[in-house]
Amino acid sequence: MYDLCVVGAGLIGSAAARHASLQPNIRVCLVGPDEPKERSMESPREIFASHYDESRVTRRSDPDPIWATLAQKAMDRYRDLEATSGVNFYSETGCMMAGPPEGQFVTNTRETVTSQNTQHDYLTPELLRQSFPHLNLPDEDVAIYETKNAGYINPRSLITAQKRIARDNGCDVINDIVCEISQHHSGAPLMSLLTESGQKIEARRVLIATGSFTNFRKLLPPGQEPDLKLLPVAYAKVEVSAEDAKRMGNMPSMLYRGGGAPHWPKDYPRLPNNLFGVYLLPPIKYPDGKFYIKSGNLHGPDSPQVSTVAEVKAWFCTKGVTPLATKLASMVTAVTKGIQTLSYHGDHCIIADTPTRYPYIDLVHPDLGVAIGGNSISAKSSDEIGRIAAMLVLYRKWDSELPAEAFKLKLKDTSKSKL
Ligand SMILES: Cc1cc2nc3c(=O)[nH]c(=O)nc-3n(C[C@H](O)[C@H](O)[C@H](O)COP(=O)(O)OP(=O)(O)OC[C@H]3O[C@@H](n4cnc5c(N)ncnc54)[C@H](O)[C@@H]3O)c2cc1C
């Protein structure tokens, strides 16, 4: 019998398991499937994850102070986590938030970095051009540049680090998918979990950290479905030579939101008001030994959604040189200067957005909690989201200076769909 079972061994779940495993006299287990070797429609597997990659932008700045605080708390622990686990996952390349000076993105980010005293440089258009001659941004645009304490993390390695420390602290890590969670009331209440391979797990408390897949198994009590919008997203990986990668050596991670430059591709997927929303990572050496610049488009409230497990599976199983990948790759060529594209391909993933724009970190009932709804930017903050959730479920206490109300779970009104 465990004190806590964390369901979902992704970025948030593995962090929650580690934090719980550090508590005295607490028996923890973490249940979730490893990354599949291949994603294919022929395979019966239908539960995937939003972290199957080698890079995620990390930064202490954000247009929203709550998100910025979550990131800062998590990032303050990165180096300790690396040292304790012996796994490196953090590359401190810096990060830049760019756009028109009067645009909401830059204005709000500037307000947050100023009010939170986040170390940064403000790059005027001239400074931006001088600092990054390999970038081709609109002439009049500016950037908030975190030169230090920002860059990118490797999400796969971060999970390896979290699991390793959790295991070292006695956490059982179980490679399986949970199909059902129920509560029994004969005597003291007991949470009971059933996995796809037929294992039965018993625990006093359960934390659900199953991301985009939460509503695809019977995890919450009957009739309760978290209000999650599942957005299919794509990104392109543009292969560059080792020489080009070296030449771009000082390139930081970058997010851009604004009107774009006249030479940027007209058919690029846009945000509301026809704005460009683009993120770009510096050249990174992937496990195949090649260097790639990864780039994708930011999402808006009206982005298309999927809802069924079949749609999600089909999206995860599509990759390669698709028309969308071509559009995303063409942006890398437009945003950089003098870089030769050797090849490119796209990959697909799903993100889980909440109507509150923050993750749900809440109790469904006193013995069941959730930490779901990454809103496309939770990788960097997963250690703090997981920590708050683990403390909430274990001690039924909100252990954060941030307001608990911001993270309240919202359920779907399922009565409407039954009419
Ligand atoms: C293309 C892309 C780019 C992104 N870029 C950034 C970025 O630059 N910076 C950033 O901070 N964030 C970024 N994100 C967002 C970030 O990756 C997500 O917010 C983060 O992965 C959410 O963590 P999670 O633990 O909720 O979900 P996941 O990491 O998906 O983990 C959920 C886990 O639960 C498991 N699971 C699901 N159902 C079950 C079940 N029934 N039983 C057991 N296990 C189950 C899954 O297999 C998975 O391992 C990006 C996301 C995508 C898709």
Side-chain angles (χ1 to χ4, degrees), residues 349-370:
C349 182
I350 301 274
I351 52 179
D353 271 13
T354 61
T356 56
R357 297 180 300 113
Y358 300 118
Y360 298 138
I361 311 175
D362 202 0
L363 293 177
V364 179
H365 61 65
D367 298 316
L368 180 66
V370 290

Side-chain angles (χ1 to χ4, degrees), residues 25-103:
N25 305 318
I26 296 288
R27 269 205 82 202
V28 189
C29 77
L30 172 65
V31 195
D34 288 342
E35 180 172 348
K37 296 232 164 8
E38 275 194 41
R39 287 179 257 150
S40 88
M41 290 303 285
E42 287 70 47
S43 147
R45 173 90 175 247
E46 41 183 34
I47 301 291
F48 302 98
S50 304
H51 60 255
Y52 297 158
D53 193 13
E54 299 286 310
S55 63
R56 292 285 183 262
V57 176
T58 191
R59 53 190 159 84
R60 303 171 83 84
S61 63
D62 195 275
D64 181 311
I66 289 189
W67 276 110
T69 304
L70 284 173
Q72 290 156 21
K73 300 275 178 202
M75 293 173 76
D76 284 346
R77 295 190 287 265
Y78 283 178
R79 292 301 186 200
D80 272 355
L81 240 164
E82 287 186 318
T84 312
S85 63
V87 180
N88 295 332
F89 58 83
Y90 179 29
S91 300
E92 213 173 321
T93 56
C95 182
M96 203 160 75
M97 309 281 269
E102 71 288 355

Side-chain angles (χ1 to χ4, degrees), residues 55-59 61 91 93-99 105-106 123 128-129 132 134-138 141-146 150-152 248 250-258 260-261 263-264 268 276-284 293-298 331-337 377 380:
S55 63
R56 292 285 183 262
V57 176
T58 191
R59 53 190 159 84
S61 63
S91 300
T93 56
C95 182
M96 203 160 75
M97 309 281 269
F105 184 60
V106 164
L123 302 184
L128 189 48
R129 272 190 293 278
F132 302 109
H134 301 303
L135 291 182
N136 204 351
L137 298 175
D141 285 357
V142 298
I144 289 152
Y145 176 31
E146 292 173 77
Y152 65 89
M248 296 189 81
N250 74 337
M251 186 174 149
S253 299
M254 188 189 84
L255 273 82
Y256 177 90
R257 200 182 270 252
H263 71 278
W264 285 12
Y268 193 79
F276 284 92
V278 186
Y279 68 88
L280 199 80
L281 282 106
I284 293 172
I293 297 179
K294 186 181 99 174
S295 182
N297 59 310
L298 303 177
M331 185 55 96
V332 176
T333 319
V335 171
T336 55
K337 261 188 211 160
I377 50 171
K380 67 175 100 44

Side-chain angles (χ1 to χ4, degrees), residues 237-249:
K237 277 162 56 189
V238 171
E239 185 192 347
V240 298
S241 67
E243 293 71 39
D244 274 350
K246 200 168 167 200
R247 280 199 309 121
M248 296 189 81

Side-chain angles (χ1 to χ4, degrees), residues 18-236:
R18 176 178 77 88
H19 284 283
S21 74
L22 294 169
Q23 301 302 304
N25 305 318
I26 296 288
R27 269 205 82 202
V28 189
C29 77
L30 172 65
V31 195
D34 288 342
E35 180 172 348
K37 296 232 164 8
E38 275 194 41
R39 287 179 257 150
S40 88
M41 290 303 285
E42 287 70 47
S43 147
R45 173 90 175 247
E46 41 183 34
I47 301 291
F48 302 98
S50 304
H51 60 255
Y52 297 158
D53 193 13
E54 299 286 310
S55 63
R56 292 285 183 262
V57 176
T58 191
R59 53 190 159 84
R60 303 171 83 84
S61 63
D62 195 275
D64 181 311
I66 289 189
W67 276 110
T69 304
L70 284 173
Q72 290 156 21
K73 300 275 178 202
M75 293 173 76
D76 284 346
R77 295 190 287 265
Y78 283 178
R79 292 301 186 200
D80 272 355
L81 240 164
E82 287 186 318
T84 312
S85 63
V87 180
N88 295 332
F89 58 83
Y90 179 29
S91 300
E92 213 173 321
T93 56
C95 182
M96 203 160 75
M97 309 281 269
E102 71 288 355
Q104 250 189 11
F105 184 60
V106 164
T107 309
N108 294 354
T109 305
R110 210 172 173 192
E111 263 175 39
T112 313
V113 290
T114 307
S115 66
Q116 297 190 333
N117 241 337
T118 305
Q119 200 187 353
H120 70 282
D121 290 345
Y122 184 75
L123 302 184
T124 58
E126 298 71 38
L127 278 174
L128 189 48
R129 272 190 293 278
Q130 278 167 25
S131 310
F132 302 109
H134 301 303
L135 291 182
N136 204 351
L137 298 175
D139 286 344
E140 64 287 359
D141 285 357
V142 298
I144 289 152
Y145 176 31
E146 292 173 77
T147 54
K148 291 206 286 192
N149 294 326
Y152 65 89
I153 50 172
N154 181 325
R156 289 184 177 122
S157 304
L158 173 53
I159 290 173
T160 303
Q162 300 281 23
K163 281 181 171 175
R164 187 171 292 175
I165 303 176
R167 253 198 209 104
D168 289 348
N169 286 305
C171 172
D172 287 333
V173 178
I174 301 168
N175 177 13
D176 211 336
I177 290 171
V178 173
C179 29
E180 194 164 354
I181 301 175
S182 50
Q183 189 172 36
H184 302 279
H185 288 279
S186 49
L190 174 77
M191 302 299 293
S192 169
L193 299 93
L194 182 66
T195 72
E196 274 191 4
S197 74
Q199 286 192 71
K200 284 202 176 103
I201 300 168
E202 291 187 336
R204 290 194 174 84
R205 312 259 167 91
V206 171
L207 173 65
I208 297 172
T210 42
S212 306
F213 303 87
T214 304
N215 291 330
F216 296 150
R217 293 293 184 271
K218 295 177 186 164
L219 305 183
L220 270 82
Q224 299 197 13
E225 252 188 52
D227 192 354
L228 292 174
K229 217 192 233 187
L230 304 186
L231 307 182
V233 296
Y235 55 92

